[in-house]
């Protein structure tokens, strides 16, 4: 069954999207590259389908640039959907800003990586998922967890290292898990989560096809541009396409891996092209535009739910802050930063909602206020929460939740007085 | 903790480590050798400059080394030696190390940086199966002696699971590679130059806690400290303490406290873990009759076990008490619980006392 991605109305009229055409035609030379600074001319490649019998067919992504004046009956979202998206993005942004404040006040410590600027990707994808769908993320995972439904309180407490955090304070910033919302973790190691997501996707497929359960769950794996040079990524693309798994690989290409520019570290910087090489569609989308991301996500998630296999989606996005809160962010060009700041996804959505009369300023302001209060309350809650007891250190190393630390006298070793000597205040 | 660094390197507090922290530069001349006060990352930087200068076929590469690296160890190298010799690689540890092995096999010196020792595991296969066995299985036709892998290891106070690990034990189990861990800037520069020039592949772990915290007078010239030679950094008669890297500063503090209670401790810096200097430790234990080993890595299967077993074999009749190991707990490196997990000064002091009073 041939599927075409539906046309999208761009929020910033000049953004074009990549075309990936079916094998019968060669791709026309694309217009000016949307990657900043790339002077590469794109080679025209014909897709080799000599082994088509083993591969799922590659579908076309038809995305046409339309101008701004559109009849209102082709709006992409309803008012309710629009407000949900707006609220989610505002939550992500406020939360991350509050994280930065708390970090500089010493309330949280360790390595914290903020998601400012990339909210459209998280909101665009995760708001289409159900509670039983799984999400796998990277170290930049606060907002993925929030979008998926983990409460701001739980995430903030986790960041503060309190026992009320989503992982009882064990994981911290880079390890947000939630059994309830099927967040299979943030991963500090790049690419480490992708095989985990692939395995999770296999479970859904197995449940549906072998156990004949009514399971339409998909898995979405988020990772960055740097990860696309890592072996684990390719291994999983292969496995996912081979087993036709219900997974969506979402590349949050923000052009920088700490200080390493994507264009200087990748032989072919167009990551979406790596999908067809493995037999799955590859799509490139403007990741600063939540509506475009959502349209592409709808199609990709739909494909996965129907059992048609994986998709690779490359979202062109940008992080407004440094790699982490300890990163002075000196390497990126100010002009590049300004260019992307002008494409702030929240401002763009706000403009869209107001211009298309889906919401007025007042409603949006009240959402912002509500979120501010929510985040403040999360901080208060986290502050007031207790720290985990010392016995928690030895718990959960093995399956026995109490850990393994039983001393010869039959008491848990963590209560042994020697264990608690010489310790500093955390 | 900073105050006890004065025992073997001069203390200079560099609080609130922003990335822009400048290295202290006080140049003094002691006789013929010029020394400068440097911290650990500057000493390593100097060593790398010298290594690249003295051998035109040496290369430094890894993630983010171009702008100086996340710990500033490679600052200035790309500007001085060019992007052909100092370059960034994509994010693929396995590829980076394998690539380094290939370079070394063709007679070059490859100084590979792995951004954190926690990330070295994808490269573990290449190191164990290729680097360690290259000379052996090719019958000495090829070797990758020119390979040196540098990685920051160890606790840093807020690193959590994946920025604090001490994986030295895994590598010590592999015949064919050397494992070297310096304790201070002066040692680091000498040991790194030795490691780079050693005709065997070396895994060089740098204690990241000490990158800015440790400051010492480091000679400016090219000097090497021999590998596989341990150093007795403090003489004593009652008990021998063996350690390496950042843990030595903690042990030093415990020794001072023990001295106040009348226990005289001998402290040995192992420097090279594989192959390690058994004679020095053996001589010391035969003198004192007691041994305590301390490291940050979890106690089960840590390198302390190897030292303990070897010393038992060699000095059994001279031992007055069981060998004591004060190490990290057998859990993944925790985030919030780091102070409870670490082998702290008090834990070591307790162990010293109980060993002496056995």
């Amino acid at each position: 069954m041939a599927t075409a991605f539906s046309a999208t109305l761009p929020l910033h009229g000049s953004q074009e999207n990549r075309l990936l055409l079916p094998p019968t035609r060669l791709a026309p030379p694309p217009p000016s590259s949307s990657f900043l600074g790339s002077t590469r001319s794109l080679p025209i490649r014909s897709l080799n389908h000599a082994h088509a019998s083993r591969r799922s067919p590659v579908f076309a992504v038809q995305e046409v640039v339309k101008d701004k004046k559109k009849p209102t009956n082709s709006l992409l979202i309803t008012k309710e959907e629009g407000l949900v998206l707006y609220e989610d993005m505002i939550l992500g942004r406020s939360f991350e800003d509050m994280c930065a404040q708390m970090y500089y006040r010493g309330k949280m410590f360790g390595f914290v990586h903020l998601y400012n600027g990339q909210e459209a990707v998280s909101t665009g994808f995760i708001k289409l998922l159900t509670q039983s769908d799984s999400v796998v993320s990277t170290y930049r995972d606060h907002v993925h967890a929030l979008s998926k439904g983990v409460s701001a309180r739980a995430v903030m407490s986790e960041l503060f290292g309190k026992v009320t955090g989503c992982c009882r304070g064990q994981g911290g910033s880079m390890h947000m898990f939630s059994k309830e919302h099927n967040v299979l973790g943030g991963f500090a190691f790049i690419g480490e989560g992708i095989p985990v997501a692939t395995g999770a996707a296999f479970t859904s497929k197995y449940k549906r096809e072998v156990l004949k359960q009514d399971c339409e769950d998909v898995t979405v794996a988020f990772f960055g541009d740097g990860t696309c040079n890592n072996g684990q990524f390719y291994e999983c693309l292969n496995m996912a396409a081979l087993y036709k798994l219900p997974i969506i690989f979402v590349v949050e290409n923000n052009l920088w891996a700490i200080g390493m520019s994507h264009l200087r570290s990748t032989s072919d910087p167009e990551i979406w092209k790596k999908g067809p090489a493995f037999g799955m569609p590859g799509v490139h989308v403007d990741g600063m535009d939540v509506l475009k991301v959502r349209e592409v996500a709808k199609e990709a998630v739909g494909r996965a739910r129907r059992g048609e296999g994986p998709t690779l989606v490359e979202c062109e996005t940008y992080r407004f802050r440094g790699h982490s809160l300890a990163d002075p962010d000196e390497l990126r060009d100010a002009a590049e930063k300004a260019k992307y700041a002008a494409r702030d996804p929240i401002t763009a959505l706000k403009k869209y909602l107001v211009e298309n009369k889906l919401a007025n300023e007042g409603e949006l302001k009240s959402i912002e206020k509500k979120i501010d209060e929510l985040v403040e309350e999360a901080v208060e809650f986290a502050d007031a929460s207790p720290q985990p007891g010392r016995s928690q250190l030895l718990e959960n190393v093995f399956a026995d939740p109490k850990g393994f630390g039983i001393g010869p006298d039959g008491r848990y070793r963590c209560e042994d007085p020697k264990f608690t000597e010489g310790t500093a205040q955390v | 903790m900073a105050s006890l660094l004065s025992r073997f390197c001069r203390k200079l507090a560099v609080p609130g480590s922003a990335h822009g922290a400048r290295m202290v530069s006080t140049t003094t001349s002691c006789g013929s050798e010029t020394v400068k006060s440097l911290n650990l990352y500057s000493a390593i930087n100097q060593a790398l400059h010298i290594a690249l200068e003295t051998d035109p076929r040496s290369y430094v590469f890894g993630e983010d080394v171009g702008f100086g690296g996340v710990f500033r160890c490679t600052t200035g190298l790309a500007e001085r030696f060019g992007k052909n010799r100092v370059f960034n690689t994509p994010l693929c540890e396995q590829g980076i190390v394998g690539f380094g092995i290939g370079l070394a096999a063709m007679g070059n010196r490859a100084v590979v940086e792995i951004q954190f020792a926690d990330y070295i595991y994808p490269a573990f296969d290449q190191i164990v199966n290729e680097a360690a066995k290259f000379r052996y299985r090719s019958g000495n036709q090829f070797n990758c002696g020119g390979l040196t892998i540098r990685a920051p290891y160890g606790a840093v106070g807020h690193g959590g699971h994946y920025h604090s690990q001490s994986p030295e034990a895994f590598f010590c189990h592999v015949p064919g590679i050397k494992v070297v861990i310096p304790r201070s800037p002066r040692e680091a520069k000498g040991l790194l130059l030795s490691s780079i020039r050693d005709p065997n592949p070396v895994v060089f772990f740098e204690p990241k806690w000490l990158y800015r915290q440790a400051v010492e007078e480091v000679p400016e010239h090219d000097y090497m400290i021999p590998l596989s030679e341990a150093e007795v950094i403090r003489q004593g008669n009652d008990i021998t303490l063996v350690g390496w890297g950042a843990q030595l500063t903690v042990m030093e503090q415990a020794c001072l406290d023990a001295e106040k209670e009348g226990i005289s401790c001998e402290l040995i810096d192992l420097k090279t873990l594989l192959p390690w200097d058994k004679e020095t430790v053996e001589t010391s234990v035969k003198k004192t009759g007691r041994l305590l080993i301390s490291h940050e890595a979890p106690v089960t299967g840590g390198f302390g076990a190897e030292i303990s077993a070897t010393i038992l074999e060699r000095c059994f009749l001279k031992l007055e008490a069981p060998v004591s190991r004060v190490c990290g707990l057998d859990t993944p490196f925790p985030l919030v619980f780091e102070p409870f997990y670490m082998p702290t000064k008090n834990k070591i002091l307790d162990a010293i006392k109980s060993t002496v009073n056995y």
Side-chain angles (χ1 to χ4, degrees):
Chain A
M1 177 173 98
T3 330
F5 285 71
S6 46
T8 50
L9 176 68
L11 296 186
H12 307 274
S14 61
Q15 298 309 314
E16 90 290 1
N17 293 290
R18 293 273 170 255
L19 301 177
L20 175 62
L21 298 172
T24 49
R25 284 181 284 156
L26 292 179
S32 62
S33 169
S34 56
F35 287 94
L36 176 74
S38 170
T39 51
R40 294 174 52 86
S41 54
L42 302 163
I44 296 165
R45 296 199 181 99
S46 59
L47 302 168
N48 179 8
H49 281 258
H51 307 285
S53 55
R54 278 289 277 165
R55 288 214 228 156
S56 46
V58 174
F59 298 118
V61 178
Q62 305 278 353
E63 292 189 323
V64 181
V65 174
K66 298 206 159 101
D67 61 7
K68 274 190 181 169
K69 298 188 183 61
K70 280 286 300 172
T72 48
N73 59 6
S74 64
L75 282 181
L76 293 164
I77 47 170
T78 64
K79 174 174 177 153
E80 291 75 31
E81 288 172 346
L83 292 179
V84 163
L85 295 180
Y86 189 75
E87 186 172 328
D88 194 52
M89 292 210 287
I90 288 285
L91 174 61
R93 183 67 64 89
S94 310
F95 190 90
E96 298 293 70
D97 284 339
M98 184 59 81
C99 278
Q101 269 190 49
M102 292 297 117
Y103 185 88
Y104 292 127
R105 280 198 217 159
K107 296 272 184 75
M108 65 175 83
F109 52 94
F111 296 93
V112 182
H113 307 82
L114 298 183
Y115 201 72
N116 297 49
Q118 301 182 196
E119 294 89 359
V121 180
S122 173
T123 304
F125 270 93
I126 301 184
K127 282 305 171 195
L128 291 172
L129 301 178
T130 64
Q131 183 152 356
S132 55
D133 291 325
S134 307
V135 164
V136 164
S137 180
T138 60
Y139 44 75
R140 214 178 288 283
D141 59 345
H142 307 165
V143 179
H144 292 138
L146 291 171
S147 291
K148 192 66 173 54
V150 182
S151 70
R153 287 174 153 198
V155 181
M156 193 58 89
S157 303
E158 182 64 30
L159 291 169
F160 282 33
K162 301 293 176 85
V163 76
T164 43
C166 49
C167 302
R168 302 154 82 215
Q170 302 273 94
S173 164
M174 296 183 273
H175 308 279
M176 296 291 165
F177 283 81
S178 166
K179 180 86 189 215
E180 191 193 334
H181 298 280
N182 283 298
V183 177
L184 285 174
F187 287 79
F189 214 121
I190 54 154
E192 200 95 314
I194 310 177
V196 174
T198 311
F202 185 86
T203 319
S204 324
K205 182 176 160 104
Y206 192 86
K207 276 190 196 166
R208 178 155 126 174
E209 295 184 10
V210 178
L211 300 178
K212 305 288 185 214
Q213 288 172 10
D214 192 17
C215 179
E216 278 196 343
D217 295 340
V218 302
T219 310
V220 183
F222 292 94
F223 47 93
D225 44 286
T227 310
C228 298
N229 293 324
N230 198 294
Q232 288 180 100
F233 170 59
Y234 295 107
E235 289 176 10
C236 295
L237 283 183
N238 182 46
M239 283 201 283
L242 194 61
Y243 303 142
K244 233 166 156 195
L245 299 179
I247 184 172
I248 302 114
F249 297 101
V250 181
V251 184
E252 294 171 320
N253 183 352
N254 58 22
L255 296 178
W256 290 91
I258 307 188
M260 184 68 175
S261 151
H262 173 65
L263 301 168
R264 284 196 291 270
S265 67
T266 315
S267 55
D268 186 347
E270 303 207 35
I271 303 169
W272 60 271
K273 281 174 162 178
K274 301 184 188 191
F278 287 89
M280 68 178 84
V283 189
H284 175 270
V285 69
D286 176 5
M288 303 303 270
D289 177 340
V290 66
L291 296 178
K292 283 194 194 152
V293 172
R294 191 180 153 86
E295 288 304 304
V296 167
K298 272 191 201 160
E299 195 57 49
V301 171
R303 255 178 63 82
R305 287 205 207 284
R306 288 188 297 266
E308 287 164 25
T311 317
L312 175 66
V313 181
E314 178 187 357
C315 302
E316 182 198 342
T317 180
Y318 202 74
R319 53 170 162 84
F320 293 159
R321 289 182 183 262
H323 165 74
S324 70
L325 285 173
D327 176 13
D329 197 17
E330 295 157 341
L331 292 166
R332 302 192 297 176
D333 189 22
E336 182 188 84
K337 292 191 215 183
K339 177 180 149 161
Y340 282 96
R343 288 165 62 181
D344 186 333
I346 295 180
T347 326
L349 181 64
K350 186 168 184 170
K351 189 158 169 247
Y352 181 88
L353 291 173
V354 168
E355 273 180 6
N356 290 288
K357 312 265 191 298
L358 289 172
N360 59 44
E361 293 269 357
E363 286 172 320
L364 299 179
K365 272 266 173 319
S366 73
I367 289 181
E368 286 165 31
K369 186 157 179 299
K370 178 175 122 189
I371 293 296
D372 273 340
E373 283 167 14
L374 183 82
V375 173
E376 293 265 357
E377 196 267 324
V379 172
E380 280 163 18
F381 175 79
D383 252 340
S385 301
Q387 288 193 337
R390 285 172 191 162
S391 54
Q392 201 177 290
L393 171 57
L394 297 181
E395 289 177 22
N396 288 314
V397 177
F398 289 105
D400 174 4
K402 283 286 192 171
F404 61 93
I406 298 191
D409 56 0
R411 285 168 54 214
Y412 285 108
R413 207 170 268 145
C414 49
E415 284 146 24
D416 181 341
K418 278 216 177 104
F419 173 80
T420 57
E421 265 171 23
T423 54
Q425 281 303 307
V426 174
Chain B
M1 153 141 171
S3 58
L4 50 87
L5 290 171
S6 63
R7 293 302 285 187
F8 48 83
C9 54
R10 195 179 322 139
K11 169 211 163 176
L12 225 109
V14 184
S17 11
H19 272 253
R22 296 190 311 282
M23 70 182 198
V24 180
S25 51
T26 1
T27 316
T28 51
S29 278
C30 317
S32 56
E33 114 186 336
T34 324
V35 294
K36 205 162 160 183
S37 256
L38 294 180
N39 56 23
L40 186 66
Y41 77 74
S42 311
I44 292 187
N45 188 240
Q46 236 181 48
L48 289 172
H49 273 272
I50 292 175
L52 287 176
E53 204 176 285
T54 49
D55 184 349
R57 289 182 74 190
S58 47
Y59 309 89
V60 171
F61 50 93
E63 292 164 20
D64 295 303
V65 302
F67 75 80
V70 289
F71 292 109
R72 296 295 189 261
C73 293
T74 47
T75 343
L77 291 174
E79 284 85 358
R80 187 166 162 205
F81 297 101
K83 293 237 155 84
N84 291 329
R85 290 178 68 192
V86 180
F87 52 92
N88 283 355
T89 57
L91 277 57
C92 43
E93 285 72 19
Q94 185 174 21
I96 294 169
V97 171
F99 181 87
I101 293 173
L103 266 176
M106 299 308 279
N108 303 294
R109 282 193 217 282
V111 183
V112 175
E113 174 173 311
I114 298 288
Q115 198 159 78
F116 282 91
D118 316 58
Y119 305 158
I120 205 170
Y121 303 114
F124 193 67
D125 173 46
Q126 280 286 340
I127 296 173
V128 169
N129 280 329
E130 304 311 326
K133 302 177 166 67
F134 221 77
R135 191 192 288 271
Y136 191 84
R137 63 196 184 96
S138 69
N140 204 12
Q141 289 184 82
F142 287 95
N143 70 79
C144 53
L147 177 68
T148 306
I149 300 166
R150 292 179 39 241
Y153 89 102
V156 74
H158 52 262
H161 308 292
Y162 295 102
H163 293 80
S164 321
Q165 289 179 37
S166 304
E168 70 266 2
F170 296 118
F171 295 93
C172 291
H173 192 54
V174 186
I177 55 170
K178 294 196 174 182
V179 179
V180 178
I181 305 186
R183 70 164 186 272
S184 72
R186 182 188 209 127
E187 296 290 311
K189 180 174 167 182
L191 286 171
L192 182 57
L193 282 167
S194 298
S195 304
I196 292 174
R197 292 166 179 164
D198 190 271
N200 296 294
V202 177
V203 181
F204 189 85
F205 287 117
E206 301 160 2
K208 65 171 88 70
W209 196 313
L210 300 181
Y211 273 138
R212 285 167 213 272
Q213 294 273 65
V215 180
E216 198 176 23
E217 304 258 309
V218 177
E220 294 215 314
H221 62 271
D222 183 350
Y223 67 96
M224 306 209 294
I225 294 179
L227 298 184
S228 295
E229 279 184 26
E231 183 186 341
V232 179
I233 55 182
R234 192 194 156 87
Q235 299 274 1
N237 294 309
D238 293 328
I239 180 171
T240 303
L241 274 68
V242 175
W244 51 85
Q247 188 63 11
L248 282 169
T249 52
V250 181
M251 294 166 85
E252 176 78 10
Q253 201 176 25
C255 289
L256 289 176
D257 280 6
E259 198 171 78
K260 292 185 194 136
E261 306 199 19
I263 302 174
S264 151
C265 304
E266 180 144 303
L267 184 56
I268 298 181
D269 175 9
L270 214 51
K271 297 197 211 189
T272 304
L273 266 61
L274 184 71
W276 62 286
D277 184 357
K278 302 180 183 161
E279 282 68 33
T280 306
V281 181
E282 189 185 334
T283 315
S284 172
V285 176
K286 283 188 169 151
K287 178 173 78 165
T288 62
R290 297 175 187 90
L291 178 61
L292 183 148
I293 307 154
S294 184
H295 56 70
E296 284 173 20
V299 60
T300 302
F303 195 62
E306 154 69 20
I307 300 176
S308 173
T310 309
I311 293 300
L312 267 170
E313 281 170 12
R314 294 182 172 212
C315 313
F316 182 68
L317 290 173
K318 296 277 188 176
L319 282 172
E320 310 265 338
V323 175
S324 173
R325 290 181 294 164
V326 183
C327 307
L329 301 175
D330 286 327
T331 70
F333 198 101
L335 177 63
V336 178
F337 297 110
E338 189 171 321
F340 307 140
Y341 165 95
M342 293 286 280
T344 53
K345 177 199 83 169
N346 284 358
K347 287 187 191 173
I348 298 175
L349 194 55
D350 282 347
I352 292 176
K353 287 193 267 191
S354 64
T355 310
V356 167
N357 298 325
Y358 187 74

